[in-house]
Amino acid sequence: MAGPVDRLTGHVGPPPLGAAGLPARVRRVVDRVPPPGILHVGLGGFHRAHQAVYTAGAVAAEGGDWGIVGAAHRSRDVVDALRRQAGLYTVVTVTGERFEPEVIGVHAATHVEVDEPGATETWLADPAIKVVTLTVTESAYATDSAVVQRLARGLRRRHRSADGAPLSLVSCDNLPGNGRVLRRLVTEVVERSDWAERARLLSWLESDVGFPSSMVDRVVPAPTPALRQRIVERCGYDDAAAVAGEPYSAWVVEDDFPAGRPAWERAGAVLTGDATPYEQVKLRLVNAPHSLIAWLGLLDGVGTIAEAVAREDIEGAARRLMKDDMAPTLTPPPGLDPAAFTEVVLARFANTALGHTTAQVGSLGSVKLAARLTPALGVWRSRGAVPRSAALLTAAYLLATVSPAGEALGDPLGPELRRLWADSPTPERYARAALGESALLPQEIGAWGEFAAAVTELMGALHQHGVPAAIRAAVGA
Ligand SMILES: NC(=O)C1=CN([C@@H]2O[C@H](COP(=O)(O)OP(=O)(O)OC[C@H]3O[C@@H](n4cnc5c(N)ncnc54)[C@H](O)[C@@H]3O)[C@@H](O)[C@H]2O)C=CC1
Ligand SMILES: O=P(O)(O)OC[C@H]1O[C@](O)(CO)[C@@H](O)[C@@H]1O
């Protein structure tokens, strides 16, 4: 089938995905979209290239009614595309040499929450839904967030109308103990409510609702128009919901599913009793260096993670952060060697085909630092030793946020930090104000004099002498 005709040029565009059969080189993972069994909140790129891929693999291997209902928050783009494409979209695995498209078709329904208020709650109350997954960014984890409020209301409806059918909610955001955090937040919303059935609802949450923690890992940059164009060229169809990701992918999930789950292990996921050691490794040996590379790169005007890590000084700084300051705070899961893992991570970041921008990884800095850095700092403080690369990470964040690139990073603390910088535009005064007064680090760490001194010194080096000199000052390299 031909695609749309351009009214000005008469040019016939490529057909949309789903309008005709797939080219032989593009595999469709599941033959038919399964009936709904999972509700996913946050229909972003990561979900499409991670949890949906594992679910497609599980359904292909073992079947099951595990179709996904995808809830987008505000943007219609992905929902409209998936509706047009009968739930199909392409995930392309990319490296410099590889371009491997696969078509996923597990989304049974989609909606946009702001356009269809109540739709997420209605699905949550439906006993066909046995699992809820979430990728809503770290900043949505607060009792007053729309996501958490909506989940609490939906669970209340389920408790009433579906006779309390059990289910599990799986956070797939990068937070330590993400399942426990989510359980605590939902519980707090119910506790503070004036709902008459509050006590019964709380005991049902305790007994019948699982909140497994999970470790998620795959670099999935925001999709670009260039990716869409490449798919037209390579696959012969247009796909407005396509997404690209690296070959590496991991998912470790606590096996707490009272109503059952897809056979995700058949697609490579690890089901475990405790995801904590995996989460710690992920946050400290993947996310923390990712952030350091992003902020150092941003300070030097470097656009992508791959370009930044191609610089020997920045790669060296990331390696030292992992080796000196992060690995010694970990109890890794059996079989994981932090030194070998470090090299795997650096090679992943060097993937030039991803085009993962320093601005994307550098966004929402204060929220990410709380998950990626603060717990390790607590360990160092109790040992009485100052982690120098972690101080460089903090200094790079603080300066990048007040740099010309800073405003676009969308950090909730950004406006306050820019005000502090405007009031005290020297590294010394700014560092003191930022570490002392803001909610950047918990008070006990913000008030850790030796760490603050190292941050101040390294911010001075970054500001006056630039990135390479500051890296040398941090670790003597
Ligand atoms: N992109 C990646 O490589 C990885 C992402 N993640 C996690 O997934 C999260 C999302 O990443 P992407 O999908 O790449 O980002 P994205 O920007 O493509 O998607 C974010 C999604 O979150 C939704 N969202 C944000 N605030 C919301 C709210 N208040 N209510 C409902 N939905 C809300 C948005 O609608 C959007 O669908 C990350 O913040 C991270 O926690 C984890 C590992 C890898
Ligand atoms: O969340 P960020 O910092 O934008 O980074 C992109 C993603 O790449 C990863 O580090 C790789 O899994 C994710 O954890 C992270 O979310």
Side-chain angles (χ1 to χ4, degrees):
M1 183 180 136
V5 180
D6 185 305
R7 277 191 308 172
L8 288 179
T9 62
H11 175 76
V12 180
L17 170 60
L22 292 175
R25 65 183 171 285
V26 184
R27 185 174 82 99
R28 178 169 172 178
V29 181
V30 196
D31 298 338
R32 109 197 134 81
V33 176
I38 298 175
L39 168 67
H40 180 81
V41 184
L43 196 54
F46 180 58
H47 161 68
R48 306 205 294 289
H50 189 272
Q51 303 93 59
V53 173
Y54 283 91
T55 299
V59 171
E62 283 204 0
D65 290 351
W66 295 114
I68 300 175
V69 176
H73 185 44
R74 197 165 268 124
S75 159
R76 289 214 61 84
D77 297 355
V78 175
V79 165
D80 289 344
L82 287 179
R83 288 182 180 178
R84 226 173 20 245
Q85 298 171 188
L88 304 183
Y89 66 94
T90 316
V91 175
V92 192
T93 301
V94 292
T95 67
E97 301 78 41
R98 288 167 66 180
F99 184 90
E100 294 166 5
E102 239 181 15
V103 166
I104 306 298
V106 285
H107 287 86
T110 49
H111 61 266
V112 179
E113 285 167 341
V114 295
D115 295 345
E116 294 175 57
T120 297
E121 287 96 315
T122 303
W123 277 110
L124 242 175
D126 187 330
I129 298 297
K130 297 182 169 62
V131 173
V132 178
T133 49
L134 290 106
T135 51
V136 287
T137 79
E138 294 90 331
S139 43
Y141 289 77
T143 41
D144 57 358
S145 97
V147 185
V148 174
Q149 297 277 336
R150 200 173 285 126
L151 290 177
R153 286 196 303 271
L155 288 166
R156 180 191 193 200
R157 276 179 63 178
R158 185 179 185 100
H159 177 245
R160 279 181 176 168
S161 61
D163 237 3
L167 85 166
S168 293
L169 282 73
V170 191
S171 166
C172 300
D173 286 296
N174 290 317
L175 295 169
N178 49 16
R180 283 175 283 286
V181 171
L182 188 60
R183 178 186 283 284
R184 178 175 52 75
L185 293 171
V186 169
T187 302
E188 275 176 29
V189 172
V190 176
E191 279 168 351
R192 289 180 200 170
S193 73
D194 57 3
W195 299 338
E197 76 279 33
R198 204 173 53 222
R200 269 174 291 124
L201 183 53
L202 286 170
S203 98
W204 174 73
L205 283 176
E206 196 57 42
S207 59
D208 286 32
V209 183
F211 286 89
S213 286
S214 87
M215 181 286 281
V216 287
D217 197 0
R218 183 176 193 186
V219 175
V220 182
T224 59
L227 170 69
R228 189 165 167 183
Q229 183 53 34
R230 254 188 116 190
I231 288 180
V232 170
E233 288 156 16
R234 298 286 195 102
C235 307
Y237 57 73
D238 181 37
D239 183 350
V243 61
E246 63 172 338
Y248 185 98
S249 184
W251 195 12
V252 179
V253 194
E254 291 175 354
D255 204 355
D256 178 12
F257 292 88
R261 59 166 171 81
W264 285 317
E265 68 279 16
R266 297 290 304 274
V270 173
L271 279 296
T272 181
D274 180 11
T276 310
Y278 299 91
E279 284 187 326
Q280 285 186 353
V281 166
K282 165 69 195 327
L283 287 162
R284 298 182 201 177
L285 292 184
V286 182
N287 294 122
H290 221 179
S291 292
L292 178 65
I293 293 164
W295 289 318
L296 291 177
L298 278 167
L299 286 171
D300 260 358
V302 182
T304 68
I305 295 293
E307 286 164 338
V309 84
R311 272 182 43 176
E312 212 174 304
D313 57 340
I314 295 185
E315 192 206 39
R319 186 177 281 109
R320 291 294 295 264
L321 174 70
M322 295 152 93
K323 180 169 167 287
D324 299 347
D325 294 1
M326 294 293 157
T329 70
L330 293 168
T331 309
L336 190 139
D337 168 19
F341 189 75
T342 293
E343 296 311 315
V344 170
V345 171
L346 290 170
R348 290 169 57 198
F349 291 164
N351 184 339
T352 51
L354 289 169
H356 203 191
T357 64
T358 48
Q360 186 183 353
V361 180
S363 67
L364 301 176
S366 57
V367 191
K368 288 177 178 177
L369 273 187
R372 298 169 184 199
L373 177 65
T374 308
L377 279 188
V379 174
W380 284 112
R381 190 167 192 206
S382 70
R383 291 179 187 163
V386 174
R388 298 273 302 169
S389 299
L392 179 66
L393 173 63
T394 311
Y397 157 70
L398 287 172
L399 267 192
T401 307
V402 299
S403 74
E407 204 151 343
L409 300 176
D411 183 8
L413 269 191
E416 187 192 338
L417 292 179
R418 283 187 286 279
R419 185 182 57 72
L420 293 178
W421 176 254
D423 289 351
S424 326
T426 66
E428 293 71 26
R429 287 166 56 202
Y430 169 57
R432 200 173 322 119
L435 291 175
E437 289 169 23
S438 76
L440 169 63
L441 295 171
Q443 264 316 303
E444 64 276 14
I445 289 172
W448 181 13
E450 288 94 336
F451 184 72
V455 173
T456 308
E457 172 209 328
L458 295 171
M459 204 190 305
L462 279 170
H463 189 60
Q464 281 146 35
H465 306 296
V467 169
I471 292 172
R472 284 195 299 278
V475 291

